[in-house]
Amino acid sequence: MNSIPFHSFLILLAALCWSQAVNAAESPIDQEILDRIKVYDYGQSRADLNEVADLVTNALEDRNKIEAIERQLLDLLKAEDSTFYCKQFVCRQLWIMGSPQSVPILSRILTSDKFSDMARYALERNPHSDAGAALRDALQEDAPVKVHVGIINSIGQRVDDTAIPVLAQLANGDDPKLQAAAIAALGRIGGGHKRLAGADSAANAAEVLEPLASEGTVGAIDALLLCGDGLVTNGESASARRIYHWVWGNLQNPKPTRIAALRGLLTVDHEATIPVVINLFHGDDLTMSAVAAGFVRQLSGQTLTKTFASELPKMPASSQTLLIAALADRGDPAAVPALIEAVGHDDEQVKLTAIRGLGTLRGSQKSILTLANTAATHKGALRNTARDSLARVSGLRTDRIMINHISKGSTDRRTELIRALGQRHASAAAQPLARILGDPDSSVRIATLGALAEIAAEGQYDQMVERIVKSPDKKERQAASKAVVTVGRRIHDEVRRASPLANALSATDQIELKVVMVKTLGELGGQPALSMLRSAHTGKEPQLKDAAIRALAEWEGVEVIADLGHIAKSSDEQTHRILALRGYIRLIGQPSDRSTEETIGLFANALGVAGRPDEKKLALGGLGNVQDPAALKIALAQLDNKDLSAEAAQATVKIAGGILAKHPDAAKAALEKIKSASTNEDTLKKADELLEKIAK
Amino acid sequence: MRRGAAAAVAAPWVIPASALGKAGSVAPSNRITIGLIGYGKQGNHHLHSLLAVDDVQITAISEVHRKFLEIAVETTHNAYGGQRTKGAFSGCAGYNDFRDLLARQDIDAVLIATPDHWHGIQVIEAARAGKDIYCEKPLSLTVEESLLMVQAVRKHERVFQTGSQQRSNQNFRKACELVRNGYIGRIKTVHANVGPPSKPCQLPAEPLPEGLDWQMWLGPAPEAPFNAILRPPHNDTYPQWRSYRDYSGGDMTDWGAHHFDIAQWGLGMDGQTPVEIHPPDGKEFETLTYRYANGVVLYHGPTKEAAKVNGILFTGEEGKIEVNRGYLRSWPDSVISASLKSSDTPLNASPGHHRDWIDCMKNRKRPICDIEIGASSVTVCHFGNIAYRLNQSLQWDPIEHRFENDPTANRLLGRTMRSPWRL
């Protein structure tokens, strides 16, 4: 056997590699994949399609490769035996990557009833001029109307101004569908982006559309207005103005188009159009008045604000309401005097809108006092709206103006301003408000305490505690206590928080005052406060003891569980025992570091101590949250107690549900017992569901 | 509508005294008449909500599945039954084609709850017909649609509410207020955790249910066979057209129209968009990353620095705020318990997403999620989808509304519609 010389072998190998490389470069998609795609139908695996789609995406930067892919895909498109969804897939890819080489092949199917939409899918966004020419040429070919409509739509989408003559013919033709499409396309071209449309395209399209619009042809006015917008963009305002004037001035034109024209006029003929807008408020068409209000919101300038505001008194109430709301939304304080004036209007809706509007604009002394007076002298919606506005009114000087008036004027106005400062969280008001805590007027003092609760800090705390001591009646004392608790909770130092109250407690002999102090300490929380409660609870004074026990029962931390347990067991007073036990059960249920075993012990203790079914039920409710077999036993033990059987069954089911993964046997036994013992439908249903779960 | 005697017989939607006060019953002539377009699961929710509102009345419904159209009309008649006998309700008409509904002069507003691929056409046609509009989110299927929708709504001075209802939720508002008023310092990054883009559809053909006008369901979307996943035989589950590219941008737009929307709100970027978009590359960009012109970075999903983010996480130089449905939390904790100071700027509070829309129709204000807001938020989502699709970084020119030097990406800004549909 003759052997091949080594150098010849190398040449052959190189040729083979080169051939494969050339083949790969010319045919990036594997032929087998192409063969499968050729017969693709919806519902089949998209694996091949996805592979090709990925190939396309990854080749977008490689001109040679993407052109080779395109050629291969175009072969699929040309093939008469490729399926509809194969062709659709190819067109979807051409949407992204189609080049001029795809255009002739797409042109062949562009007028086909079946494939035209997908051919447009590929052509419409192809930026090459050949694609535009293909679409225009297709209009000269025979095709169903629907196909031509689609092609016209694509021409409009491409803003192809070279198509204006052919579109003009169609727009003046007899077929209503073609006519409507051509008119819409002319509008798209006339109003198209200047990057796409030629300088004269808006004017040329408008020239075609104007007579059609005059005749009332459907869609022509809309399209003409788009041309108007295009003319404005091209700097041809005079032509645009003519269009807008005609559309606006012809009362037969549909209202939406007239509104659009008026908007256009405001762009090109601003000053001359303002009186038109104002007139709409005086007219008898409320829809147009509302549209005018929309324009008022959008037009800028302080002079305009004054112009519009000066018209207010001349308008009917319904228009005033619209204009006031619009003026307020402009955010221009130049409207404030007019709005203050409108607060005095006879019409309640006008009043309300003006009051609401003042809340959105920068406050002046007059506007703030107007709002405060309104809140002080009215009830219902007017008062509520004025209060809301006082809380919202903006401006760097607003808080200062309010502070300056908290000691002036009527009591009602003062309390409104004080309340507003609190709602505004005006921290600068804390010290001035603290200074009027000794005001002779009780309602001022109570309002001040409410406001200080929102904004006071440690600096005002002692003065507030002092108000508890000095309050002449229960109502004010409660207000002071509530405010002290709110502010005190913001003080992190527990000693600092409790000490003024402790001092006041030791300094007074008034038992009623001591009771309030103890109650306040209970709500404040913290270790020093707790020590004082413990001390009061063990004291001899019954009222103080009662207050301390109530405070302990409401305490928020688990550190009082032992105190409450002791009271629940040993107090002479049944009320105290019950209160303590309820607090005890509540706290056991809170998250803590104690072990599950300890928690179960505490619940067992509660069940033992409780004398009444009510507390036992509470304890069972809490026990149900403990997911442990020991808890299950305790709950099961109560099943036979007729007063507790329902709650015991619920707790049992709940615990069983929680432990069934780790303790299926115990859970199953308990649930089966429930099945025979309970009559409650919900409980039985849950037990069944859990048993079924265990069985699986 | 005219003042005086004529007001009783004409469209009554401008600021009746009874309406702003929201007190007492509302006279029929003072009700806003609404047409519902689309009665699927979400349309059903809207219908029931609006039927309970005194100062609106549903007078027409369009739906392409006859069975559901009949259910919706019957539901409406039952709800208004008492009023009908008193002459306060003259009936609710059903239409297969939404254009017949829009042609009715006596309808003031429409609520659009159709699949996303219909929104652009229906919103623009409704604006041209002079209707106020509530349109479900995500606002659009493409960037170009969004731009044209904004133009149409502005041009005809329509009141428009986007259905991104998180804007009407107190927690989301509070989070954004705190962020915008500097309670966590200057914002560096935002994470918004939403799902992936949509994918091509491959559902097999199934027998067409009786009464479903499949061609009207598809509308502008490419020809495809019916499958019940796209239009289920009942209205109690969300149909999965959201997963498919011809009809939706996927979870990216479905949830992005909520969570990216809140990111935009918190950043004060309504009406604007990021200018850079980078798909994940395993190196510099861990996840899809957006950058705004001011340097703030927005991430699609978690990153190493925020691995457990759910909802929207704002990270500032002095703290963090995370908000989602059901919770609002901050680091440090104290941030979320802060109340705004009088010197802060509060955000507009909405009384509820429908209520806000209705009130705005009466006083002609822009609702809490006006079209420009909905458009910019969904555009953030579309940008993400385009970057994922092409797997390449994008630079957006906000003046020209084009990607810079990227003709391929620019092709994906819009989509061809089946004849005869057009925008």
Side-chain angles (χ1 to χ4, degrees):
Chain A
M1 191 176 74
N2 293 329
S3 61
I4 300 171
F6 184 67
H7 72 276
S8 300
F9 172 76
L10 286 178
I11 291 167
L12 272 173
L13 187 65
L16 184 64
C17 291
W18 181 81
S19 157
Q20 282 178 339
V22 167
N23 195 39
E26 290 184 350
S27 309
I29 309 172
D30 192 275
Q31 189 55 46
E32 286 181 12
I33 291 178
L34 289 169
D35 290 344
R36 288 196 294 268
I37 290 177
K38 196 173 184 181
V39 294
Y40 172 76
D41 194 13
Y42 253 56
Q44 294 174 347
S45 164
R46 283 189 56 92
D48 294 322
L49 277 59
N50 291 342
E51 191 173 329
V52 171
D54 288 346
L55 198 62
V56 168
T57 305
N58 294 328
L60 285 169
E61 301 293 313
D62 182 341
R63 193 174 161 189
N64 290 334
K65 190 171 183 183
I66 200 74
E67 283 183 358
I69 293 171
E70 188 180 10
R71 273 195 300 277
Q72 287 185 288
L73 292 177
L74 287 171
D75 285 341
L76 287 177
L77 200 58
K78 280 189 281 187
E80 289 189 1
D81 54 347
S82 58
T83 61
F84 175 84
Y85 290 116
C86 163
K87 287 187 166 71
Q88 192 187 65
F89 169 73
V90 171
C91 290
R92 287 173 189 274
Q93 300 311 308
L94 294 173
W95 166 32
I96 302 173
M97 42 80 97
S99 74
Q101 70 166 323
S102 68
V103 175
I105 294 147
L106 288 165
S107 296
R108 289 183 213 161
I109 58 170
L110 186 54
T111 49
S112 146
D113 192 14
K114 192 172 179 185
F115 297 115
S116 179
D117 282 327
M118 289 317 296
R120 288 194 300 112
Y121 212 87
L123 280 172
E124 188 178 286
R125 284 163 196 284
N126 184 330
H128 301 282
S129 57
D130 290 5
L135 287 162
R136 289 193 302 277
D137 291 347
L139 287 180
Q140 308 305 324
E141 293 180 28
D142 283 340
V145 167
K146 191 178 173 189
V147 167
H148 274 163
V149 165
I151 292 167
I152 294 167
N153 291 346
S154 288
I155 288 171
Q157 170 64 39
R158 288 175 65 88
V159 192
D160 181 357
D161 55 354
T162 60
I164 290 177
V166 67
L167 292 174
Q169 281 179 5
L170 292 164
N172 286 289
D174 297 330
D175 188 296
K177 288 179 180 168
L178 291 176
Q179 184 181 42
I183 285 170
L186 285 164
R188 288 297 296 274
I189 294 167
H193 197 289
K194 59 184 174 185
R195 180 185 64 248
L196 302 168
D200 299 331
S201 56
N204 292 340
E207 194 179 326
V208 179
L209 290 165
E210 276 182 60
L212 292 164
S214 301
E215 291 162 14
T217 311
V218 174
I221 301 176
D222 270 318
L224 184 59
L225 285 167
L226 284 171
C227 294
D229 300 344
L231 287 164
V232 173
T233 309
N234 290 336
E236 296 173 61
S237 296
S239 302
R241 187 181 298 125
R242 194 169 48 77
I243 290 172
Y244 295 141
H245 264 301
W246 177 79
V247 178
W248 168 248
N250 188 341
L251 298 179
Q252 303 306 312
N253 288 336
K255 202 178 273 184
T257 61
R258 294 187 64 228
I259 292 168
L262 185 56
R263 186 183 167 85
L265 280 174
L266 280 166
T267 315
V268 295
D269 218 355
H270 184 76
E271 283 190 21
T273 311
I274 297 299
V276 179
V277 173
I278 290 172
N279 270 340
L280 293 179
F281 286 108
H282 294 294
D284 62 358
D285 187 335
L286 262 178
T287 306
M288 294 309 270
S289 303
V291 167
F295 287 134
V296 170
R297 287 185 172 89
Q298 295 159 37
L299 300 166
S300 57
Q302 208 175 55
T303 311
L304 266 186
T305 303
K306 288 179 180 166
T307 305
F308 288 127
S310 67
E311 293 290 324
L312 262 179
K314 306 171 200 166
M315 296 176 184
S318 53
S319 285
Q320 286 202 36
T321 307
L322 286 166
L323 181 53
I324 289 166
L327 284 169
D329 287 342
R330 286 170 64 82
D332 182 352
V336 166
L339 266 59
I340 291 173
E341 190 75 24
V343 173
H345 200 281
D346 292 338
D347 184 286
E348 174 145 326
Q349 203 59 43
V350 173
K351 270 181 196 287
L352 271 173
T353 314
I355 293 166
R356 197 177 289 121
L358 287 174
T360 65
L361 295 172
R362 194 173 71 215
S364 66
Q365 179 163 308
K366 198 167 177 190
S367 73
I368 290 163
L369 295 182
T370 300
L371 289 171
N373 284 329
T374 306
T377 56
H378 291 79
K379 287 186 176 169
L382 287 172
R383 165 180 280 184
N384 293 339
T385 308
R387 283 179 172 175
D388 184 51
S389 286
L390 279 170
R392 287 186 299 118
V393 65
S394 63
L396 293 175
R397 291 184 59 245
T398 297
D399 290 345
R400 180 49 53 194
I401 292 167
M402 289 184 177
I403 291 166
N404 289 346
H405 288 82
I406 57 176
S407 299
K408 299 175 191 169
S410 71
T411 299
D412 287 343
R413 191 180 82 181
R414 293 176 65 201
T415 56
E416 292 299 338
L417 289 169
I418 292 164
R419 161 203 276 268
L421 285 165
Q423 285 182 318
R424 295 169 64 81
H425 296 275
S427 51
Q431 200 50 46
L433 285 172
R435 283 199 286 272
I436 59 166
L437 274 173
D439 193 90
D441 194 314
S442 166
S443 50
V444 168
R445 293 195 301 272
I446 290 174
T448 303
L449 284 163
L452 283 169
E454 299 294 330
I455 55 178
E458 200 176 328
Q460 293 81 46
Y461 188 58
D462 292 352
Q463 287 163 280
M464 294 171 72
V465 173
E466 197 181 317
R467 280 320 304 167
I468 301 180
V469 178
K470 292 186 175 172
S471 289
D473 57 37
K474 195 175 172 186
K475 184 182 172 191
E476 188 174 332
R477 189 164 281 166
Q478 279 177 344
S481 168
K482 194 175 164 191
V484 163
V485 169
T486 309
V487 177
R489 284 182 172 184
R490 295 202 285 264
I491 299 171
H492 296 300
D493 182 342
E494 293 179 354
V495 175
R496 171 71 184 93
R497 193 195 298 173
S499 57
L501 288 147
N503 295 340
L505 186 61
S506 60
T508 182
D509 292 329
Q510 292 178 52
I511 195 66
E512 192 189 334
L513 182 56
K514 279 177 181 280
V515 166
V516 174
M517 290 296 177
V518 166
K519 186 171 174 293
T520 309
L521 281 164
E523 289 179 26
L524 264 181
Q527 201 53 48
L530 180 57
S531 301
M532 280 180 269
L533 293 190
R534 283 173 174 152
S535 166
H537 146 237
T538 54
K540 290 181 180 168
E541 176 52 57
Q543 283 175 272
L544 213 50
K545 188 171 182 168
D546 177 77
I549 290 172
R550 287 175 188 275
L552 285 168
E554 296 292 324
W555 192 260
E556 288 180 3
V558 294
E559 60 272 23
V560 299
I561 284 182
D563 302 82
L564 292 171
H566 177 70
I567 297 166
K569 198 180 281 184
S570 60
S571 175
D572 297 336
E573 296 273 345
Q574 189 193 19
T575 308
H576 289 165
R577 290 199 302 275
I578 291 169
L579 285 171
L581 185 55
R582 287 180 166 248
Y584 178 84
I585 294 167
R586 174 178 58 82
L587 290 175
I588 301 169
Q590 287 189 359
S592 81
D593 295 335
R594 84 177 85 84
S595 68
T596 305
E597 193 181 356
E598 284 176 281
T599 300
I600 293 168
L602 291 171
F603 275 120
N605 185 44
L607 280 166
V609 170
R612 307 189 315 166
D614 284 355
E615 283 69 44
K616 286 183 189 288
K617 287 176 184 175
L618 273 181
L620 281 168
L623 186 70
N625 295 320
V626 185
Q627 297 179 359
D628 190 277
L632 193 68
K633 275 185 194 169
I634 296 172
L636 280 169
Q638 302 294 331
L639 266 184
D640 297 334
N641 183 335
K642 66 178 172 50
D643 290 333
L644 303 175
S645 59
E647 287 74 16
Q650 282 172 8
T652 302
V653 170
K654 200 168 179 188
I655 299 166
I659 66 168
L660 62 81
K662 282 188 182 171
H663 307 279
D665 294 342
K668 188 179 174 190
L671 291 166
E672 279 170 350
K673 191 166 181 188
I674 293 300
K675 292 270 292 171
S676 58
S678 178
T679 54
N680 181 292
E681 276 186 28
D682 281 348
T683 307
L684 288 170
K685 189 178 166 200
K686 282 177 192 159
D688 278 337
E689 285 169 2
L690 291 172
L691 282 167
E692 203 175 313
K693 205 169 172 183
I694 293 168
K696 282 180 186 170
Chain B
M1 183 177 62
R2 300 196 177 276
R3 290 189 174 90
V9 293
W13 47 264
V14 179
I15 208 158
S18 56
L20 275 185
K22 297 176 199 138
S25 63
V26 181
S29 60
N30 279 338
R31 290 194 184 123
I32 296 169
T33 50
I34 295 178
L36 173 66
I37 300 177
Y39 182 70
K41 182 173 167 68
Q42 200 63 9
N44 181 41
H45 154 75
H46 287 300
L47 178 64
H48 282 92
S49 298
L50 291 175
L51 286 173
V53 177
D54 275 351
D55 49 348
V56 304
Q57 197 166 67
I58 306 289
T59 55
I61 295 168
S62 85
E63 161 58 38
V64 298
H65 196 314
R66 194 172 62 238
K67 178 178 92 176
F68 293 108
L69 178 60
E70 285 168 0
I71 292 170
V73 169
E74 188 184 349
T75 302
T76 306
H77 282 158
N78 290 341
Y80 293 147
Q83 296 172 28
R84 197 170 201 179
T85 54
K86 293 176 194 162
F89 172 61
S90 54
C92 173
Y95 302 98
N96 180 64
D97 190 328
F98 70 96
R99 291 170 295 189
D100 294 329
L101 184 152
L102 291 180
R104 282 205 15 198
Q105 298 290 312
D106 61 338
I107 290 176
D108 302 318
V110 291
L111 192 150
I112 297 169
T114 48
D116 304 350
H117 66 285
W118 266 115
H119 292 177
I121 290 171
Q122 289 170 339
V123 164
I124 291 170
E125 288 299 317
R128 284 182 183 148
K131 314 297 184 197
D132 290 329
I133 303 156
Y134 181 119
C135 181
E136 258 304 334
K137 43 59 61 177
L139 187 72
S140 66
L141 192 63
T142 69
V143 175
E144 283 182 4
E145 270 182 13
S146 296
L147 294 168
L148 292 170
M149 289 159 91
V150 172
Q151 275 177 21
V153 168
R154 289 285 181 266
K155 192 177 180 70
H156 296 286
E157 288 293 319
R158 295 301 88 206
V159 170
F160 187 99
Q161 178 81 295
T162 314
S164 298
Q165 81 275 14
Q166 287 182 175
R167 292 249 174 179
S168 290
N169 175 283
Q170 195 181 338
N171 270 0
F172 289 102
R173 189 184 79 245
K174 179 157 192 188
C176 293
E177 273 178 338
L178 293 170
V179 168
R180 284 173 69 159
N181 283 291
Y183 282 74
I184 53 171
R186 195 172 68 85
I187 298 301
K188 295 187 298 181
T189 63
V190 188
H191 289 76
N193 197 357
V194 303
S198 50
K199 57 194 180 199
C201 190
Q202 59 179 11
L203 298 168
E206 289 181 352
L208 192 62
E210 193 187 340
L212 172 60
D213 184 344
W214 181 239
Q215 287 306 314
M216 269 305 272
W217 190 96
L218 283 176
E223 180 64 42
F226 167 78
N227 185 290
I229 291 215
L230 301 173
R231 204 325 165 189
H234 39 72
N235 267 353
D236 54 2
T237 52
Y238 283 109
Q240 286 309 304
W241 48 259
R242 287 175 177 78
S243 303
Y244 300 107
R245 198 179 281 160
D246 283 342
Y247 321 113
S248 170
D251 280 355
M252 185 75 172
T253 54
D254 188 36
W255 273 95
H258 287 308
H259 287 358
F260 283 128
D261 181 61
I262 296 301
Q264 291 261 110
W265 199 16
L267 295 174
M269 287 292 173
D270 286 339
Q272 301 173 63
T273 60
V275 292
E276 290 176 31
I277 309 97
H278 305 281
D281 60 3
K283 300 171 201 161
E284 185 183 356
F285 302 109
E286 207 180 326
T287 182
L288 183 92
T289 303
Y290 299 90
R291 195 183 305 277
Y292 289 90
N294 65 1
V296 172
V297 170
L298 169 64
Y299 295 111
H300 173 215
T303 61
K304 279 177 201 152
E305 71 174 76
K308 290 183 180 172
V309 66
N310 203 359
I312 308 104
L313 173 72
F314 294 96
T315 303
E317 288 178 340
E318 296 163 24
K320 297 180 185 184
I321 292 177
E322 186 178 12
V323 62
N324 201 348
R325 296 184 185 183
Y327 66 79
L328 167 63
R329 54 191 175 214
S330 66
W331 297 267
D333 291 343
S334 55
V335 172
I336 54 161
S337 35
S339 298
L340 288 193
K341 301 184 289 288
S342 53
S343 54
D344 289 333
T345 306
L347 293 172
N348 284 342
S350 156
H353 221 54
H354 285 140
R355 185 75 256 163
D356 179 55
W357 177 51
I358 294 162
D359 288 349
C360 287
M361 283 195 275
K362 290 171 180 166
N363 59 30
R364 312 313 292 167
K365 287 174 76 163
R366 289 186 183 167
I368 190 84
C369 201
D370 171 51
I371 188 157
E372 214 163 329
I373 295 171
S376 53
S377 294
V378 79
T379 298
V380 176
C381 311
H382 293 323
F383 283 175
N385 276 349
I386 294 172
Y388 276 125
R389 178 101 183 256
L390 299 178
N391 194 28
Q392 66 185 45
S393 291
L394 306 168
Q395 313 283 324
W396 179 247
D397 179 340
I399 308 297
E400 290 292 315
H401 293 144
R402 310 285 286 173
F403 293 112
E404 289 173 8
N405 303 318
D406 198 334
T408 305
N410 284 330
R411 290 190 188 199
L412 298 181
L413 290 173
R415 220 177 278 193
T416 303
M417 294 184 166
R418 272 199 320 160
S419 183
W421 302 106
R422 58 177 166 265
L423 291 173

